[in-house]
Structures are given as structure tokens and as C-alpha cells.
Amino acid sequence: IRKEYGNFLLSSMKTLFKTNVEGLKFLLDAFEIASRKHPEFVYLIVGKGEAVKELQDYIDSKGLQEKAKIIDKILSFDERQEVWAATAISPHAFFFEFSIGISLMEYMAFGNACVVIDVGNVKNFVQDSAMVVKPDVNSMAEGMEELMENESLRNSLKKKSAELIRENYSVEAVAERLV
């Protein structure tokens, strides 16, 4: 992944249906702002669904063809692991009441630094293991920029996110609560 897309990667993996694409457009708007100061970053969007063309058209209309790339397929687990390992920052936007998104949990479980908008119960879920920003494009762009510029903060969030998922949502942790 790094060989093809570079060493400074933001990524999102999700089904590319209408509701998810609306959230990705929001993230692309924020990325467009943040990448002006940090042109070394590329935003990789991985997924398949009915709205792939709509999303690609949006990327093209923003002039982001060189900075935002879509992998239009469902990846194997090994391929997903490769994306998670190459990712520096994973942005997440939710436009409905947040109910723990699997994509966010996967990124956190793999130990990725995430920036999320403060919608619904997301702040309670991520606690201090992700950067939580106001649900507007400029705040998301500022969060992305801060993580782009601050490797120490990224590394801290990576460690905290993996610990949060392992301690609270792993099979072992859930089974222990059920006993």
C-alpha cells in the first residue's frame, strides 16, 4: 500500500452506499483544506457499493484526483490489515445518532489514530483514545492537520485506541462481562 500510495496515508474503509458517501464527501472537504498545508498526505477510500461513481465524480469535481484515491473492491482480511498498517490517520464522520460503527472499531482495534466528529454517543465511546472535533468541515480539517503535524499525538492515540478496544470490546472482555 505504501509503495503505491506513499508513506503519509489517511484511509477510510466502508461500504460505498449513499449515506456513507455523504459522510465521505464531508471528510473529503476537510481533507482538501488540510492537504493544502500537507500535500504529502493521500486519502485512500476503500469499499464497494452503488455510489462509487458518485464519490469519484465528487473527487474529480474537487480536483483531488491525485490526492484522494478509491479502491473499488472488497478487500480480504489480509489486504485490510495492510491498509490499516499503512494508515497514519483515520477520519470518521457520522450523520445519524452514533451507534458504534464497525469501521471505527476496526481502525481502533488495529491501533490507528482516529479523528471523529462529536455526534451522538461517539465521545463516550472513544473516550480519550481518538481526537473528537465539532461536526463541521473546518473543525475536522483542523483535527486532521493537528494529527498530520503531531506524530507524538498520533502515536499516543494509536496506543490508546488499541487498548480501549482490547480492554472493552475484545471477545475476551465481552465474555468476561457475560460471566
Side-chain angles (χ1 to χ4, degrees):
I1 293 291
R2 285 190 175 121
K3 185 184 275 187
E4 188 168 350
Y5 299 103
N7 290 322
F8 300 99
L9 195 64
L10 283 82
S11 75
S12 296
M13 263 189 274
K14 51 185 64 204
T15 55
L16 299 180
F17 295 109
K18 185 69 176 163
T19 53
N20 284 341
V21 166
E22 291 307 310
L24 290 167
K25 287 178 181 179
F26 171 88
L27 295 172
L28 284 161
D29 290 344
F31 175 71
E32 178 185 25
I33 295 167
S35 67
R36 289 179 196 147
K37 285 175 66 177
H38 299 281
E40 69 277 18
F41 278 87
V42 171
Y43 188 10
L44 184 62
I45 299 169
V46 181
K48 196 149 190 67
E50 64 191 25
V52 171
K53 181 178 178 345
E54 176 185 345
L55 187 60
Q56 185 62 60
D57 289 347
Y58 191 76
I59 289 169
D60 295 347
S61 75
K62 305 286 282 177
L64 292 171
Q65 303 92 322
E66 297 303 314
K67 304 296 301 160
K69 305 289 186 178
I70 298 174
I71 296 179
D72 179 16
K73 71 180 238 182
I74 297 173
L75 301 181
S76 70
F77 183 71
D78 289 342
E79 291 169 320
R80 289 194 318 267
Q81 284 188 311
E82 187 179 346
V83 172
W84 292 324
T87 298
I89 302 164
S90 179
H92 294 268
F94 311 94
F95 289 99
F96 305 102
E97 282 299 306
F98 178 74
S99 61
I100 307 172
I102 190 69
S103 178
L104 175 60
M105 288 184 77
E106 288 174 333
Y107 273 94
M108 291 177 70
F110 203 81
N112 285 110
C114 297
V115 55
V116 300
I117 60 173
D118 188 8
V119 173
N121 198 36
V122 70
K123 191 184 291 187
N124 290 331
F125 171 70
V126 300
Q127 301 171 26
D128 68 345
S129 65
M131 179 178 288
V132 181
V133 299
K134 294 178 194 168
D136 64 76
V137 169
N138 288 325
S139 294
M140 176 55 79
E142 289 169 7
M144 288 177 177
E145 287 176 15
E146 187 171 349
L147 288 175
M148 289 170 171
E149 295 168 358
N150 190 334
E151 185 176 3
S152 174
L153 177 58
R154 282 197 317 265
N155 289 336
S156 173
L157 291 177
K158 287 177 177 188
K159 181 179 178 193
K160 288 178 180 181
S161 66
E163 287 174 0
L164 176 80
I165 298 299
R166 185 177 53 256
E167 291 172 5
N168 295 289
Y169 302 102
S170 66
V171 171
E172 297 80 13
V174 172
E176 191 173 303
R177 285 195 303 270
L178 293 175
V179 176

